[in-house]
Amino acid sequence: MSERITPNRHDAEHYKPVPEQLLRPAAERETPDWRRFDVAARRFGELIAAGIAEATGQRQDIRSGTARCIAHVLGRCLGRESALADFARTGEGDYETLREEYLCLHNDEGVTASTQELIDWLGTHLIRQQHPDARSATYVEAYPPRLDNILVPTGIEVGDWYLRINVPGIYGTKDIQDLTETLGELSVKRDAALRAYLSLPDTNAMSGDIMQDFHDCYLGVFATFEEAIHELAEVDERERDVFTYAEDRQLVIEQMNPDYEALREQVADAFDLVEEEDRIYVFHK
């Protein structure tokens, strides 16, 4: 659910994560030194390959040691002062800063496909550390992992609204800034239904046609969860069926009370219900 930003939002009870558009991109660096990368890759290649083989065999994320080893090899391209090199040494680092560095390498004209795969492994590991429940951008999750397939929960500010959206891990600060401007042009701050849709964990805000995606999924708006569930679960029809069944057997039922919690679990397989500005917005899955 999105939130309107209040003047005292920096107080503890109103604290929000720093929105993406306020984060500084990584400092400008020289062209990556791929020769130094090649030297380090030959030295640590077997260790990295063993870590990836272990992860692949169990179809899981790489271990932290393998991630740090990959970061060390990649960090050789950028120097000892890089965030990647520091992460390799300490196992700690700011995700956004690390992301800007490894995406710079991922998109460099001198990068090889095998190096991009290493970056996919490292980036996905860092994302999973912060967002273990991050969804896939496609119906079938890619494995081995790819940065363009994992959706990263991302905070942005559009006007006076703080939004929590989901962006594929292949996009960096500049892309997210451009998306923020686009959402502003779409008047998302005045469109509660669109804000509700963007908050869904499997909505890809970078799909390329977010408004078409929205209209394809949007079903309607209701005053309460009970009203929405009543309609989606066709409670009136269920009640008629029960009354008819009872009458055919000479039984009298004076009152029925729907179990809305149980019905909500049933409709959750086909619909997403999102509360936004005290109303319930419903979307097809």
Side-chain angles (χ1 to χ4, degrees), residues 1-132:
M1 184 175 70
S2 60
E3 299 180 44
R4 186 183 295 276
I5 300 171
T6 57
N8 61 341
R9 66 183 183 276
H10 297 298
D11 293 346
E13 63 177 331
H14 294 287
Y15 173 75
K16 303 291 188 301
V18 177
E20 282 283 352
Q21 67 265 39
L22 298 183
L23 293 168
R24 292 183 179 179
E28 291 293 330
R29 300 178 185 276
E30 297 179 358
T31 302
D33 188 341
W34 291 111
R35 182 189 62 80
R36 297 181 67 185
F37 167 85
D38 290 337
V39 172
R42 285 194 295 270
R43 181 178 179 185
F44 294 94
E46 291 186 7
L47 187 61
I48 293 173
I52 291 176
E54 178 187 16
T56 303
Q58 301 179 29
R59 200 174 176 81
Q60 63 182 17
D61 186 19
I62 55 175
R63 295 180 182 271
S64 60
T66 303
R68 291 173 66 178
C69 197
I70 294 174
H72 169 72
V73 172
L74 294 173
R76 296 292 290 170
C77 291
L78 303 175
R80 290 183 55 82
E81 300 304 316
S82 66
L84 285 168
D86 188 62
F87 176 79
R89 290 190 294 268
T90 67
E92 299 178 353
D94 175 71
Y95 164 69
E96 283 80 13
T97 304
L98 290 164
R99 179 193 65 196
E100 294 307 300
E101 288 192 354
Y102 65 63
L103 287 182
C104 175
L105 298 176
H106 191 282
N107 298 326
D108 186 78
E109 62 181 11
V111 72
T112 64
S114 60
T115 302
Q116 287 180 323
E117 291 177 6
L118 291 181
I119 296 171
D120 284 335
W121 279 106
L122 173 62
T124 301
H125 172 82
L126 294 172
I127 293 167
R128 290 291 185 196
Q129 290 294 300
Q130 289 198 1
H131 308 288

Side-chain angles (χ1 to χ4, degrees), residues 49-273:
I52 291 176
E54 178 187 16
T56 303
Q58 301 179 29
R59 200 174 176 81
Q60 63 182 17
D61 186 19
I62 55 175
R63 295 180 182 271
S64 60
T66 303
R68 291 173 66 178
C69 197
I70 294 174
H72 169 72
V73 172
L74 294 173
R76 296 292 290 170
C77 291
L78 303 175
R80 290 183 55 82
E81 300 304 316
S82 66
L84 285 168
D86 188 62
F87 176 79
R89 290 190 294 268
T90 67
E92 299 178 353
D94 175 71
Y95 164 69
E96 283 80 13
T97 304
L98 290 164
R99 179 193 65 196
E100 294 307 300
E101 288 192 354
Y102 65 63
L103 287 182
C104 175
L105 298 176
H106 191 282
N107 298 326
D108 186 78
E109 62 181 11
V111 72
T112 64
S114 60
T115 302
Q116 287 180 323
E117 291 177 6
L118 291 181
I119 296 171
D120 284 335
W121 279 106
L122 173 62
T124 301
H125 172 82
L126 294 172
I127 293 167
R128 290 291 185 196
Q129 290 294 300
Q130 289 198 1
H131 308 288
D133 297 325
R135 301 289 186 87
S136 172
T138 58
Y139 288 110
V140 179
E141 184 173 358
Y143 198 88
R146 287 172 31 185
L147 286 171
D148 60 356
N149 190 256
I150 186 170
L151 293 175
V152 185
T154 304
I156 63 171
E157 287 184 13
V158 181
D160 57 353
W161 283 93
Y162 173 86
L163 306 180
R164 194 71 166 170
I165 62 174
N166 299 282
V167 176
I170 198 66
Y171 293 105
T173 297
K174 178 60 168 61
D175 302 304
I176 295 169
Q177 290 173 341
D178 292 342
L179 173 63
T180 301
E181 293 179 6
T182 298
L183 293 177
E185 294 169 359
L186 293 174
S187 299
V188 68
K189 61 185 179 181
R190 294 193 297 272
D191 192 336
L194 180 57
R195 292 198 303 273
Y197 177 67
L198 287 168
S199 73
L200 292 172
D202 54 358
T203 293
N204 179 1
M206 288 282 194
S207 68
D209 195 346
I210 193 64
M211 291 308 299
Q212 185 61 52
D213 296 342
F214 165 73
H215 289 299
D216 287 344
C217 294
Y218 182 53
L219 181 64
V221 59
F222 298 86
T224 65
F225 277 110
E226 287 76 12
E227 181 182 312
I229 295 167
H230 194 98
E231 178 72 19
L232 298 173
E234 300 178 328
V235 171
D236 289 339
E237 183 175 341
R238 294 184 186 217
E239 290 179 343
R240 283 194 297 270
D241 290 343
V242 173
F243 279 122
T244 300
Y245 179 89
E247 289 175 356
D248 290 345
R249 288 157 180 78
Q250 293 74 51
L251 299 174
V252 176
I253 298 177
E254 295 183 352
Q255 182 178 350
M256 282 187 287
N257 296 312
D259 183 345
Y260 284 109
E261 286 300 318
L263 291 172
R264 184 171 182 175
E265 292 181 5
Q266 289 185 11
V267 302
D269 291 335
F271 305 99
D272 285 311
L273 282 69

